[in-house]
CSV table of all heavy atoms in Angstrom, one decimal:
chain,number,residue,atom,x,y,z
M,26,TYR,N,-9.2,18.8,-23.8
M,26,TYR,CA,-8.7,19.0,-22.5
M,26,TYR,C,-7.2,18.5,-22.5
M,26,TYR,O,-6.9,17.5,-23.1
M,26,TYR,CB,-9.5,18.1,-21.5
M,26,TYR,CG,-9.0,18.0,-20.1
M,26,TYR,CD1,-9.1,19.1,-19.3
M,26,TYR,CD2,-8.3,16.9,-19.7
M,26,TYR,CE1,-8.6,19.1,-18.0
M,26,TYR,CE2,-7.8,16.9,-18.4
M,26,TYR,CZ,-7.9,18.0,-17.6
M,26,TYR,OH,-7.4,17.9,-16.3
M,46,ASP,N,-9.1,23.5,-18.5
M,46,ASP,CA,-10.6,23.5,-18.4
M,46,ASP,C,-11.1,23.9,-19.8
M,46,ASP,O,-10.7,25.0,-20.3
M,46,ASP,CB,-11.0,24.4,-17.3
M,46,ASP,CG,-12.5,24.2,-16.9
M,46,ASP,OD1,-13.3,23.7,-17.8
M,46,ASP,OD2,-12.9,24.5,-15.8
M,47,THR,N,-12.0,23.2,-20.4
M,47,THR,CA,-12.5,23.6,-21.7
M,47,THR,C,-14.0,23.4,-21.7
M,47,THR,O,-14.5,22.4,-21.3
M,47,THR,CB,-11.8,22.8,-22.8
M,47,THR,OG1,-12.4,23.0,-24.0
M,47,THR,CG2,-11.8,21.3,-22.5
M,50,ASP,N,-18.0,27.7,-24.0
M,50,ASP,CA,-17.9,29.2,-23.8
M,50,ASP,C,-16.5,29.7,-23.4
M,50,ASP,O,-16.2,30.8,-23.8
M,50,ASP,CB,-18.9,29.6,-22.7
M,50,ASP,CG,-20.3,29.1,-23.0
M,50,ASP,OD1,-20.6,29.1,-24.2
M,50,ASP,OD2,-21.0,28.8,-22.1
M,114,SER,N,-1.4,4.3,-17.3
M,114,SER,CA,-1.0,3.6,-16.1
M,114,SER,C,-0.8,2.1,-16.5
M,114,SER,O,-1.5,1.5,-17.3
M,114,SER,CB,-2.1,3.7,-15.0
M,114,SER,OG,-3.4,3.7,-15.6
M,277,TYR,N,-2.3,13.5,-3.7
M,277,TYR,CA,-2.0,12.1,-3.6
M,277,TYR,C,-2.1,11.4,-5.0
M,277,TYR,O,-1.1,10.8,-5.4
M,277,TYR,CB,-3.0,11.4,-2.6
M,277,TYR,CG,-2.8,9.9,-2.5
M,277,TYR,CD1,-1.8,9.4,-1.7
M,277,TYR,CD2,-3.5,9.0,-3.3
M,277,TYR,CE1,-1.6,8.0,-1.6
M,277,TYR,CE2,-3.3,7.6,-3.3
M,277,TYR,CZ,-2.3,7.1,-2.4
M,277,TYR,OH,-2.1,5.8,-2.3
M,316,ASP,N,4.4,12.8,3.9
M,316,ASP,CA,3.4,11.9,4.3
M,316,ASP,C,2.7,11.2,3.1
M,316,ASP,O,2.6,10.0,3.1
M,316,ASP,CB,2.3,12.7,5.1
M,316,ASP,CG,1.4,11.8,5.8
M,316,ASP,OD1,1.8,10.9,6.5
M,316,ASP,OD2,0.1,12.0,5.7
M,320,TYR,N,3.0,7.1,1.6
M,320,TYR,CA,1.9,6.2,1.4
M,320,TYR,C,1.9,5.6,0.0
M,320,TYR,O,1.2,4.7,-0.3
M,320,TYR,CB,0.6,6.9,1.6
M,320,TYR,CG,0.1,7.0,3.0
M,320,TYR,CD1,-0.1,8.2,3.7
M,320,TYR,CD2,-0.1,5.8,3.7
M,320,TYR,CE1,-0.6,8.2,5.0
M,320,TYR,CE2,-0.6,5.9,5.0
M,320,TYR,CZ,-0.8,7.1,5.7
M,320,TYR,OH,-1.2,7.1,7.0
M,321,ILE,N,2.7,6.3,-0.9
M,321,ILE,CA,2.7,5.7,-2.3
M,321,ILE,C,4.0,5.0,-2.6
M,321,ILE,O,4.0,3.9,-3.2
M,321,ILE,CB,2.6,6.9,-3.3
M,321,ILE,CG1,1.4,7.8,-3.0
M,321,ILE,CG2,2.5,6.4,-4.7
M,321,ILE,CD1,1.5,9.1,-3.7
M,388,VAL,N,19.5,8.8,34.5
M,388,VAL,CA,20.0,8.0,35.7
M,388,VAL,C,21.5,7.7,35.6
M,388,VAL,O,22.0,7.2,36.6
M,388,VAL,CB,19.2,6.7,35.9
M,388,VAL,CG1,17.7,7.0,36.1
M,388,VAL,CG2,19.4,5.8,34.7
N,6,TYR,N,-20.4,19.6,-23.0
N,6,TYR,CA,-20.3,21.1,-22.9
N,6,TYR,C,-19.0,21.5,-22.4
N,6,TYR,O,-18.4,22.4,-22.9
N,6,TYR,CB,-21.5,21.5,-22.1
N,6,TYR,CG,-21.4,23.0,-21.7
N,6,TYR,CD1,-21.6,24.0,-22.6
N,6,TYR,CD2,-21.0,23.4,-20.4
N,6,TYR,CE1,-21.5,25.3,-22.3
N,6,TYR,CE2,-20.8,24.7,-20.1
N,6,TYR,CZ,-21.1,25.7,-21.0
N,6,TYR,OH,-21.0,27.0,-20.7
N,7,ARG,N,-18.5,20.8,-21.4
N,7,ARG,CA,-17.3,21.2,-20.7
N,7,ARG,C,-16.5,20.0,-20.2
N,7,ARG,O,-17.1,19.0,-19.8
N,7,ARG,CB,-17.7,22.1,-19.5
N,7,ARG,CG,-16.5,22.6,-18.6
N,7,ARG,CD,-17.1,23.3,-17.4
N,7,ARG,NE,-16.0,23.6,-16.5
N,7,ARG,CZ,-16.1,24.1,-15.3
N,7,ARG,NH1,-17.3,24.3,-14.8
N,7,ARG,NH2,-15.1,24.3,-14.6
N,8,VAL,N,-15.1,20.1,-20.2
N,8,VAL,CA,-14.3,19.1,-19.7
N,8,VAL,C,-13.3,19.7,-18.7
N,8,VAL,O,-12.6,20.7,-19.0
N,8,VAL,CB,-13.4,18.4,-20.8
N,8,VAL,CG1,-12.6,17.3,-20.2
N,8,VAL,CG2,-14.3,18.0,-22.0
N,55,GLY,N,-7.5,15.4,-24.2
N,55,GLY,CA,-7.8,15.5,-25.6
N,55,GLY,C,-9.3,15.5,-26.0
N,55,GLY,O,-9.7,15.7,-27.1
N,100,ILE,N,-2.6,0.7,-19.6
N,100,ILE,CA,-4.1,0.8,-19.8
N,100,ILE,C,-4.4,2.0,-20.6
N,100,ILE,O,-4.3,3.1,-20.2
N,100,ILE,CB,-4.8,0.8,-18.4
N,100,ILE,CG1,-4.4,-0.6,-17.7
N,100,ILE,CG2,-6.3,0.9,-18.6
N,100,ILE,CD1,-5.1,-0.7,-16.4
N,254,GLY,N,-6.6,2.4,-4.7
N,254,GLY,CA,-5.6,3.5,-4.7
N,254,GLY,C,-4.3,3.1,-4.1
N,254,GLY,O,-3.7,4.0,-3.5
N,256,ARG,N,-0.5,0.6,-4.2
N,256,ARG,CA,0.7,0.5,-5.1
N,256,ARG,C,0.5,-0.7,-6.1
N,256,ARG,O,0.1,-1.8,-5.8
N,256,ARG,CB,1.9,0.2,-4.3
N,256,ARG,CG,2.2,1.2,-3.2
N,256,ARG,CD,3.3,0.9,-2.4
N,256,ARG,NE,3.5,1.9,-1.3
N,256,ARG,CZ,2.9,1.8,-0.2
N,256,ARG,NH1,2.1,0.8,0.1
N,256,ARG,NH2,3.1,2.8,0.7
N,384,PRO,N,-4.3,7.3,7.9
N,384,PRO,CA,-4.4,8.7,8.4
N,384,PRO,C,-3.2,9.5,8.1
N,384,PRO,O,-2.1,9.0,8.3
N,384,PRO,CB,-4.6,8.5,9.9
N,384,PRO,CG,-4.0,7.2,10.2
N,384,PRO,CD,-4.1,6.3,9.0
N,386,GLY,N,-0.1,11.6,8.4
N,386,GLY,CA,0.8,11.8,9.5
N,386,GLY,C,0.6,10.9,10.7
N,386,GLY,O,1.0,11.1,11.8
N,468,LEU,N,12.4,6.6,34.5
N,468,LEU,CA,12.9,7.6,35.5
N,468,LEU,C,14.1,7.0,36.3
N,468,LEU,O,15.1,7.7,36.5
N,468,LEU,CB,11.8,8.1,36.4
N,468,LEU,CG,10.7,8.9,35.7
N,468,LEU,CD1,9.7,9.2,36.7
N,468,LEU,CD2,11.3,10.2,35.1
Side-chain angles (χ1 to χ4, degrees):
Chain M
Y26 174 74
D46 190 336
T47 169
D50 305 324
S114 38
Y277 177 83
D316 190 52
Y320 276 121
I321 307 165
V388 299
Chain N
Y6 169 74
R7 176 184 173 192
V8 186
I100 298 180
R256 304 176 183 89
L468 293 175

